Amino acid sequence: MRTKTDVDSLFEPRGVAVVGASHNEAKIGYRIVENIVKSGYNGGIYPINPKGGEILGQKMYESLSAVEGPVDIAVISVPEKIVFDAVKDCADKGVKHLVIITSGFSEVGNVEEEQRIVDFAHDHGMRVLGPNIFGIYSASASLDATFGPGGILSGHVAIISQSGALGVAMIGKTAAESIGLSALVSVGNKSDIDETELLEYLAQDDATRVILIYIEGVKHGERLVETLKKVTREKHVVVIKSGRSKRGAMAAASHTGSLAGTDEIFDNVMRQCGVLRAESLQEAFDWARFLADAPVPKGKYGVIVTNGGGIGVLATDACEKYDVALYDDQKTLKETFSPVMPDFGSSKNPVDLTGQATAEDYAKALDATLEKEGMDAAIALYCETALFDVNKFKEILRREYEHYRGRKPIIFALFGGDKVDHIIDTLGKDGVPVFASVYEAVSCMGALYRSWRNLREQPEEPELYDFDADAVNGIIEKARQQGRGFLLADEAQQVASILGLPMPRSIVAGSIQEAVDAAEEIGYPVVMKVVSKDIVHKSDAGGVALDLDNKKEVVDAYQAILRSCRAYKKDAVIKGVEVVEMAPPGVETIIGARQDGAFGPIVMFGLGGIYVEVMKDVTFRAAPVSRREAQSMVSEIRSYPLLLGVRGEKRKDIDEIVTVATRLSSLIHRCRDITDVEINPLVVYDRGEGVKAVDVRILFKKRPEVK
Ligand code: ACO
């Protein structure tokens, strides 16, 4: 059943006022009224301007109070200085949504005025879209309340845009590419209503099949993640985010007043949510158009039908790149395609009909593919030859597409001269997914399959490890009272043991004899480390000795450590020396977690040890993660083969990595004062032999934030 959301009346308003409606055609206030009238909206239309009069056949009201009917939306298009007064009038009228077009707020540093408006609106039961936006279009209300070029086609793609200019340009672009919209919303400064709330509405909107989001910076990322995970189970969600490059991120930050999160984190988290991230605007539009019309695949196997070998190989490469599986039952392929191709053709997938094929042969091969059970999708390619009657071919493609579009996904890529370009153009305008590039075509199919795989996976609850969070917070509080923002090694180890993380054995010794006893109890070789709250960087102070093999080495190391630490910091209080089991070598990985500015708690996994900074072979997820999500982090890094075992080595204990990752994820999710935690290295042994958290570091907020 459909749940009513707070923004329902934004998409289905009973009446719309335009505050700042102008008689002057060159002004935004005029264009908005014009679009509302032309789009065929049949609720109340109320242009407001103190001068009164008439505009486009509509009565111009001198003030909102003169309007009799209900006003659910007030589009505000007056200069910044008088927006607040207009908002007050809206409150008196009982307006539900303020759609504030006006610029000059937080995007240029005018944060206070924006906040004043939002606070006032909330106090008076109103919600704010914007400010700094181009408006809203809703197909269900036949309402175009934007200052875009008009002519929006209704359809199944909803667009949410943080960029104004790009969003306006998208109106023209979608019309040119015959992409029908169910909604288009400009969110601008996101002072109140943001993507998350809009997604909740659009997820339930029957007309919407694809949601395309242009985003510059994430605010309230935790809520966004939770919502996206749900929405992607109902609809395809395509996101295009600017700020991929460092310079781009800086430009986006100054542009919108919100900081773009680190791109890798954004990328990984979007994938975790089942969102399709497009590389470019064109790719986003290609996907949106294709996904809006494509049926849900019945299975995973695609068939490439081509009249050219080279283009077939290109498509095969593209299928590998975009993860589209190819049908591979050679016997069935032969039985299916031999009757429709010359003897020298190839029925292997790609099915190569050769340059001798005619348009009719091509149609037969496509029919054979699309009628055959187990051949789940068709990638149809064509290289221009003189044997095809172009007009006939165009109609064949149209007919094939119309006939099968509801049953199996089909995509076309054609390569040739003017006549071919003409087919691409004409069919494209009619909504047939036909491309001039094989890669563009297969990328659409890949997007469909990624979305499909996400839909087929059973949702899995996050793995929340039940640990004593009060004890952890107690350790942190004690350290905080000593003015620290980090835990000492022994304190971090206490936290690790509360989480049940496997660590090398360790005993703190207060004398040489205790150190020797400890080493003999643990067993050689051992490591020794100074224990002092005054010495943070132990190695720099000469406070660490590795690989000690016998009693003599332990005695020498104890004396050497004390000597160098005293020389390093004369007044350092030295509690003793920690004698630690020397972890046997294994694969060194890193697991970390932290509070991210955009997404809140996140976990990280990667290849660890001293090369982590150089290799940057790491991946992120929003916490808390499920076991499957943690597992996918492990299999996603480039060094994954090392964990599977190379050159006869055994597979490593991946299950234990997953367990440690879910526990750190639970820690960062529950103990919000912890800002960073890092285990480096987490040494991983052969399957069944576990892992060891050799070094655990924990940072926290010096003072908890006042909530
Ligand atoms: N109530 C209603 N109307 C009023 C009021 C009032 N209290 N006071 C004045 N008006 C009328 C004005 O008389 C005028 O009508 P007129 O032309 O018939 O005289 C109309 O409201 C508009 O006021 P202007 O002072 O002419 O303001 P103007 O239209 O020049 O600018 C605007 C207003 C468009 C909101 C401007 O301040 C602005 O912010 N522009 C940027 C908008 C923008 O780019 N948004 C961002 C995203 S989209 C993108 O980036 C492409």
Side-chain angles (χ1 to χ4, degrees):
M1 226 213 17
R2 199 178 176 289
T3 325
K4 238 179 145 34
T5 68
D6 224 21
V7 295
D8 275 28
S9 48
L10 184 61
F11 291 93
E12 298 148 32
R14 293 165 299 170
V16 179
V18 179
V19 180
S22 170
H23 295 279
N24 180 345
E25 286 181 28
K27 288 196 180 173
I28 286 178
Y30 177 91
R31 291 289 164 193
I32 294 173
V33 178
E34 186 183 33
N35 277 338
I36 295 175
V37 172
K38 282 192 177 164
S39 57
Y41 174 62
N42 56 22
I45 303 175
Y46 309 111
I48 314 289
N49 186 309
K51 293 176 198 155
E54 212 187 85
I55 172 174
L56 294 153
Q58 306 285 320
K59 172 179 158 62
M60 188 83 99
Y61 294 78
E62 285 169 25
S63 69
L64 256 177
S65 57
V67 174
E68 279 178 8
V71 177
D72 286 338
I73 294 182
V75 182
I76 297 182
S77 179
V78 290
E80 181 267 326
K81 289 277 171 287
I82 56 173
V83 170
F84 191 76
D85 289 338
V87 169
K88 285 202 278 195
D89 294 344
C90 292
D92 293 341
K93 175 64 193 160
V95 167
K96 291 186 175 165
H97 298 282
L98 305 168
V99 172
I100 306 179
I101 304 291
T102 315
S103 301
F105 293 94
S106 69
E107 83 282 5
V108 292
N110 186 5
V111 181
E112 295 77 25
E113 185 64 3
E114 187 171 300
Q115 196 55 48
R116 186 161 82 112
I117 289 169
V118 174
D119 291 344
F120 181 87
H122 287 178
D123 287 348
H124 294 82
M126 299 186 289
R127 302 297 308 276
V128 181
L129 185 67
N132 186 30
I133 60 174
F134 62 81
I136 178 166
Y137 164 78
S138 166
S140 59
S142 283
L143 171 68
D144 177 0
T146 73
F147 61 88
I152 301 178
L153 303 171
S154 79
H156 304 296
V157 178
I159 300 179
I160 300 172
S161 177
Q162 194 176 348
S163 161
L166 264 179
V168 173
M170 283 182 200
I171 296 177
K173 178 80 177 160
T174 51
E177 300 219 349
S178 309
I179 299 174
L181 302 185
S182 55
L184 171 63
V185 192
S186 171
V187 287
N189 295 0
K190 299 195 268 193
S191 67
D192 178 20
I193 297 172
D194 62 7
E195 300 90 358
T196 308
E197 245 177 300
L198 299 169
L199 280 165
E200 279 162 7
Y201 170 85
L202 294 169
Q204 302 187 64
D205 176 40
D206 289 339
T208 301
R209 292 190 197 145
V210 182
I211 302 167
L212 193 156
I213 312 173
Y214 172 84
I215 199 164
E216 288 176 349
V218 174
K219 279 184 183 174
H220 314 299
E222 250 183 292
R223 262 179 57 224
L224 180 66
V225 166
E226 212 178 292
T227 306
L228 280 172
K229 279 186 174 179
K230 285 190 219 131
V231 177
T232 52
R233 309 208 68 79
E234 310 276 335
K235 318 268 167 175
H236 303 287
V237 179
V238 176
V239 71
I240 172 103
K241 178 178 176 290
S242 56
R244 212 181 245 285
S245 62
K246 283 213 176 83
R247 274 195 90 83
M250 276 160 63
S254 51
H255 180 200
T256 62
S258 69
L259 249 167
T262 315
D263 197 66
E264 289 79 9
I265 298 176
F266 181 85
D267 206 65
N268 293 168
V269 173
M270 287 302 112
R271 197 153 356 106
Q272 174 185 9
C273 296
V275 170
L276 304 164
R277 182 177 184 185
E279 282 281 334
S280 64
L281 278 169
Q282 188 56 52
E283 188 172 60
F285 280 109
D286 288 348
W287 289 356
R289 189 172 62 151
F290 178 64
L291 295 170
D293 203 39
V296 178
K298 292 195 178 69
K300 64 177 180 183
Y301 295 110
V303 172
I304 300 170
V305 175
T306 178
N307 69 336
I311 199 170
V313 176
L314 278 177
T316 311
D317 291 348
C319 284
E320 192 170 303
K321 175 171 176 187
Y322 296 111
D323 220 355
V324 177
L326 290 178
Y327 187 88
D328 201 29
D329 176 349
Q330 294 302 326
K331 189 165 161 274
T332 312
L333 281 165
K334 200 168 171 50
E335 280 166 16
T336 311
F337 294 106
S338 294
V340 297
M341 66 166 59
D343 291 344
F344 46 89
S346 167
S347 64
K348 292 181 180 143
N349 194 2
V351 175
D352 183 1
L353 306 174
T354 78
Q356 186 176 298
T358 61
E360 288 76 13
D361 298 331
Y362 196 89
K364 281 186 203 152
L366 265 184
D367 282 337
T369 310
L370 294 163
E371 291 294 343
K372 191 87 195 167
E373 201 160 326
M375 297 186 185
D376 305 305
I379 297 161
L381 315 174
Y382 167 70
C383 280
E384 188 174 18
T385 71
L387 298 179
F388 274 58
D389 174 331
V390 170
N391 280 327
K392 221 185 213 172
F393 182 52
K394 185 174 78 189
E395 290 319 312
I396 285 173
L397 295 190
R398 192 196 301 280
R399 193 187 66 214
E400 290 290 317
Y401 184 67
E402 288 305 324
H403 191 66
Y404 292 103
R405 61 189 271 199
R407 287 155 59 187
K408 288 188 182 179
I410 316 164
I411 201 107
F412 301 95
L414 317 182
F415 188 70
D418 289 349
K419 289 178 188 159
V420 168
D421 287 348
H422 175 71
I423 301 182
I424 294 172
D425 210 43
T426 322
L427 292 183
K429 284 207 167 70
D430 294 344
V432 180
V434 52
F435 292 88
S437 145
V438 172
Y439 271 76
E440 280 167 19
V442 179
S443 137
C444 290
M445 195 62 91
L448 176 68
Y449 270 108
R450 256 188 292 152
S451 209
W452 177 71
R453 282 193 290 271
N454 177 60
L455 277 176
R456 272 163 48 104
E457 267 188 349
Q458 284 302 316
E460 200 184 69
E461 288 299 312
E463 173 114 333
L464 291 172
Y465 182 62
D466 189 15
F467 65 97
D468 188 350
D470 289 344
V472 173
N473 289 330
I475 295 168
I476 289 171
E477 191 44 46
K478 230 165 121 186
R480 183 183 283 134
Q481 277 167 12
Q482 293 172 14
R484 278 187 279 133
F486 63 91
L487 292 187
L488 294 172
D490 58 330
E491 295 162 340
Q493 278 166 16
Q494 283 172 42
V495 173
S497 74
I498 291 170
L499 286 174
L501 304 183
M503 286 170 297
R505 274 199 73 193
S506 101
I507 297 170
V508 175
S511 66
I512 292 182
Q513 188 53 48
E514 278 179 25
V516 171
D517 292 347
E520 300 211 323
E521 193 182 324
I522 289 168
Y524 295 104
V526 292
V527 175
M528 285 169 63
K529 297 178 195 170
V530 67
V531 182
S532 168
K533 69 173 173 39
D534 301 318
I535 299 173
V536 181
H537 302 292
K538 298 187 194 73
S539 301
D540 296 352
V544 181
L546 300 173
D547 219 354
L548 308 170
D549 274 330
N550 52 49
K551 184 174 164 183
K552 180 172 180 310
E553 287 185 8
V554 167
V555 171
D556 291 350
Y558 192 96
Q559 290 169 331
I561 285 175
L562 258 60
R563 213 172 26 245
S564 18
C565 287
R566 291 226 164 91
Y568 180 76
K569 200 164 192 206
K570 234 184 7 219
D571 53 351
V573 179
I574 296 175
K575 205 164 139 188
V577 172
E578 188 188 5
V579 183
V580 192
E581 170 196 348
M582 175 109 179
V587 178
E588 294 196 349
T589 61
I590 180 169
I591 299 192
R594 67 173 232 244
Q595 308 293 347
D596 178 68
F599 291 106
I602 56 164
V603 236
M604 179 259 280
F605 171 73
L607 185 71
I610 54 172
Y611 301 120
V612 63
E613 292 292 332
V614 187
M615 301 305 291
K616 291 200 167 59
D617 187 12
V618 291
T619 179
F620 302 88
R621 294 290 183 279
V625 291
S626 67
R627 273 195 87 80
R628 188 170 63 218
E629 286 168 338
Q631 169 73 50
S632 74
M633 292 175 82
V634 178
S635 54
E636 196 172 282
I637 62 166
R638 295 192 305 278
S639 318
Y640 181 51
L642 292 182
L643 296 166
L644 290 177
V646 283
R647 290 180 168 254
E649 280 178 347
K650 284 196 184 140
R651 182 190 162 98
K652 307 298 165 212
D653 210 333
I654 292 170
D655 271 3
E656 282 302 300
I657 303 178
V658 169
T659 300
V660 174
T662 56
R663 291 194 186 175
L664 278 205
S665 136
S666 301
L667 175 72
I668 202 78
H669 174 65
R670 276 184 70 192
C671 298
R672 296 296 173 112
D673 278 355
I674 295 182
T675 55
D676 294 83
V677 42
E678 187 177 294
I679 304 176
N680 187 23
L682 176 84
V683 184
V684 186
Y685 301 105
D686 290 350
R687 179 148 57 178
E689 289 174 26
V691 295
K692 283 224 157 104
V694 170
D695 199 0
V696 183
R697 281 161 205 242
I698 297 177
L699 307 181
F700 53 85
K701 287 180 202 144
K702 276 197 158 178
R703 247 178 231 111
E705 271 168 16
V706 183
K707 301 239 161 71

